[in-house]
Amino acid sequence: MSKRLWVERDKDGTWNAYGDNGAHITFGKGEDQFNPGDLMKIALAACGALSSQFAVESALGKGKGAKIVVDGTYDADDDAYLSFDEQVDVDATSARLAQEDADKLEERVRRHIAKSCTVAHTYQRETPVRISVKVRH
Protein backbone atom coordinates (compact mmCIF):
# COMPACT_ATOMS: atom_id res chain seq x y z
CA MET A 1 0.00 0.00 0.00
CA SER A 2 1.30 3.46 -0.84
CA LYS A 3 1.54 6.25 1.69
CA ARG A 4 -1.50 8.40 2.27
CA LEU A 5 -1.42 11.90 0.76
CA TRP A 6 -3.88 14.77 1.07
CA VAL A 7 -4.32 18.39 0.04
CA GLU A 8 -5.87 21.28 1.93
CA ARG A 9 -6.53 24.91 1.09
CA ASP A 10 -4.77 27.53 3.18
CA LYS A 11 -6.33 30.78 4.38
CA ASP A 12 -4.28 32.76 1.83
CA GLY A 13 -5.75 30.76 -1.07
CA THR A 14 -2.76 28.52 -1.73
CA TRP A 15 -2.96 24.76 -1.55
CA ASN A 16 -0.76 22.45 0.51
CA ALA A 17 -0.06 18.78 -0.07
CA TYR A 18 0.93 16.58 2.86
CA GLY A 19 2.12 13.02 3.33
CA ASP A 20 1.94 10.70 6.31
CA ASN A 21 5.74 10.90 6.46
CA GLY A 22 5.74 14.67 7.06
CA ALA A 23 6.48 15.70 3.46
CA HIS A 24 4.92 18.98 2.33
CA ILE A 25 4.65 21.07 -0.85
CA THR A 26 2.67 24.16 -1.75
CA PHE A 27 0.94 24.44 -5.12
CA GLY A 28 -1.78 26.41 -6.85
CA LYS A 29 -2.59 28.34 -9.99
CA GLY A 30 -0.55 31.46 -9.23
CA GLU A 31 2.31 32.64 -11.40
CA ASP A 32 4.95 31.53 -8.92
CA GLN A 33 3.34 28.19 -8.08
CA PHE A 34 3.36 24.73 -9.59
CA ASN A 35 -0.06 23.71 -10.90
CA PRO A 36 -1.27 20.07 -11.01
CA GLY A 37 -0.07 19.63 -14.62
CA ASP A 38 3.37 20.85 -13.57
CA LEU A 39 3.34 18.38 -10.69
CA MET A 40 2.60 15.55 -13.16
CA LYS A 41 5.67 16.51 -15.17
CA ILE A 42 7.76 16.91 -12.01
CA ALA A 43 6.67 13.43 -10.90
CA LEU A 44 7.83 11.97 -14.22
CA ALA A 45 11.17 13.80 -14.08
CA ALA A 46 11.72 12.92 -10.42
CA CYS A 47 10.97 9.26 -11.08
CA GLY A 48 13.48 9.20 -13.93
CA ALA A 49 16.08 10.93 -11.76
CA LEU A 50 15.69 8.50 -8.87
CA SER A 51 15.50 5.49 -11.21
CA SER A 52 18.71 6.47 -12.99
CA GLN A 53 20.64 7.55 -9.90
CA PHE A 54 22.41 4.21 -9.30
CA ALA A 55 23.60 3.93 -12.91
CA VAL A 56 24.90 7.51 -12.95
CA GLU A 57 26.61 7.30 -9.56
CA SER A 58 28.20 3.96 -10.45
CA ALA A 59 29.79 5.51 -13.53
CA LEU A 60 30.52 9.05 -12.34
CA GLY A 61 30.73 8.96 -8.55
CA LYS A 62 28.64 9.57 -5.48
CA GLY A 63 26.40 12.62 -5.61
CA LYS A 64 26.24 12.78 -9.41
CA GLY A 65 22.88 12.72 -11.15
CA ALA A 66 21.04 13.47 -14.33
CA LYS A 67 19.19 16.67 -15.14
CA ILE A 68 15.80 15.69 -16.49
CA VAL A 69 13.56 18.09 -18.38
CA VAL A 70 9.95 17.11 -19.10
CA ASP A 71 7.57 18.87 -21.46
CA GLY A 72 4.11 17.80 -22.48
CA THR A 73 1.67 18.17 -25.33
CA TYR A 74 -1.54 19.53 -23.84
CA ASP A 75 -4.94 19.22 -25.52
CA ALA A 76 -7.14 22.07 -24.28
CA ASP A 77 -10.29 20.57 -25.84
CA ASP A 78 -10.00 17.39 -23.76
CA ASP A 79 -8.17 19.09 -20.85
CA ALA A 80 -5.55 16.34 -20.88
CA TYR A 81 -1.94 15.73 -21.78
CA LEU A 82 -1.54 13.69 -24.95
CA SER A 83 2.13 12.88 -24.44
CA PHE A 84 5.24 13.78 -22.51
CA ASP A 85 8.78 14.33 -23.79
CA GLU A 86 11.53 13.55 -21.31
CA GLN A 87 15.12 14.65 -21.92
CA VAL A 88 17.72 13.02 -19.66
CA ASP A 89 21.01 14.92 -19.58
CA VAL A 90 23.98 13.29 -17.87
CA ASP A 91 27.00 15.59 -17.57
CA ALA A 92 29.95 13.21 -17.72
CA THR A 93 32.48 15.74 -19.03
CA SER A 94 34.63 15.59 -15.90
CA ALA A 95 34.85 11.77 -16.17
CA ARG A 96 36.30 11.95 -19.71
CA LEU A 97 34.50 8.77 -20.76
CA ALA A 98 35.43 6.99 -23.95
CA GLN A 99 32.61 6.83 -26.51
CA GLU A 100 32.06 3.15 -25.72
CA ASP A 101 31.70 3.89 -21.99
CA ALA A 102 29.37 6.82 -22.68
CA ASP A 103 27.20 4.55 -24.85
CA LYS A 104 27.12 1.92 -22.08
CA LEU A 105 26.11 4.55 -19.52
CA GLU A 106 23.35 5.83 -21.81
CA GLU A 107 21.99 2.29 -22.19
CA ARG A 108 22.19 1.63 -18.43
CA VAL A 109 20.30 4.85 -17.70
CA ARG A 110 17.61 3.91 -20.24
CA ARG A 111 17.27 0.41 -18.74
CA HIS A 112 17.09 1.67 -15.16
CA ILE A 113 14.38 4.18 -16.00
CA ALA A 114 12.42 1.66 -18.09
CA LYS A 115 12.57 -0.89 -15.28
CA SER A 116 12.03 1.27 -12.21
CA CYS A 117 10.02 4.39 -13.08
CA THR A 118 6.56 3.76 -11.63
CA VAL A 119 5.29 7.12 -12.88
CA ALA A 120 6.22 6.37 -16.49
CA HIS A 121 4.71 2.89 -16.19
CA THR A 122 1.48 4.47 -14.90
CA TYR A 123 1.35 7.16 -17.61
CA GLN A 124 1.95 4.58 -20.34
CA ARG A 125 -1.25 2.74 -19.55
CA GLU A 126 -4.83 3.73 -19.00
CA THR A 127 -5.18 4.17 -15.25
CA PRO A 128 -8.70 4.34 -13.82
CA VAL A 129 -9.41 7.03 -11.25
CA ARG A 130 -12.29 6.40 -8.86
CA ILE A 131 -13.70 9.49 -7.20
CA SER A 132 -15.97 9.56 -4.19
CA VAL A 133 -17.36 12.78 -2.73
CA LYS A 134 -18.47 13.21 0.87
CA VAL A 135 -20.15 16.40 1.98
CA ARG A 136 -20.17 16.73 5.76
CA HIS A 137 -22.97 18.82 7.17
Side-chain angles (χ1 to χ4, degrees), residues 13-15 27-36 38:
T14 61
W15 288 85
F27 66 97
K29 292 188 176 183
E31 189 172 314
D32 60 344
Q33 296 175 322
F34 292 119
N35 65 45
D38 296 334

Side-chain angles (χ1 to χ4, degrees), residues 6-45:
W6 67 95
V7 299
E8 296 176 358
R9 186 129 193 224
D10 204 348
K11 292 178 183 122
D12 69 359
T14 61
W15 288 85
N16 294 283
Y18 301 94
D20 279 340
N21 64 352
H24 169 256
I25 60 167
T26 301
F27 66 97
K29 292 188 176 183
E31 189 172 314
D32 60 344
Q33 296 175 322
F34 292 119
N35 65 45
D38 296 334
L39 294 174
M40 288 174 53
K41 292 185 271 186
I42 289 169
L44 184 59

Side-chain angles (χ1 to χ4, degrees), residues 25-110:
I25 60 167
T26 301
F27 66 97
K29 292 188 176 183
E31 189 172 314
D32 60 344
Q33 296 175 322
F34 292 119
N35 65 45
D38 296 334
L39 294 174
M40 288 174 53
K41 292 185 271 186
I42 289 169
L44 184 59
C47 190
L50 292 175
S51 296
S52 66
Q53 181 178 341
F54 180 79
V56 173
E57 284 188 332
S58 293
L60 303 179
K62 193 83 170 152
K64 299 293 184 179
K67 176 182 178 181
I68 301 180
V69 178
V70 174
D71 198 2
T73 303
Y74 178 73
D75 181 356
D77 292 337
D78 286 335
D79 189 29
Y81 282 93
L82 300 174
S83 64
F84 294 103
D85 294 306
E86 185 173 33
Q87 176 63 47
V88 180
D89 182 16
V90 178
D91 183 356
T93 53
S94 63
R96 301 180 200 264
L97 297 179
Q99 184 62 50
E100 181 181 341
D101 293 328
D103 292 345
K104 286 179 185 177
L105 177 56
E106 178 184 341
E107 183 55 32
R108 278 190 77 201
V109 167
R110 285 182 188 281

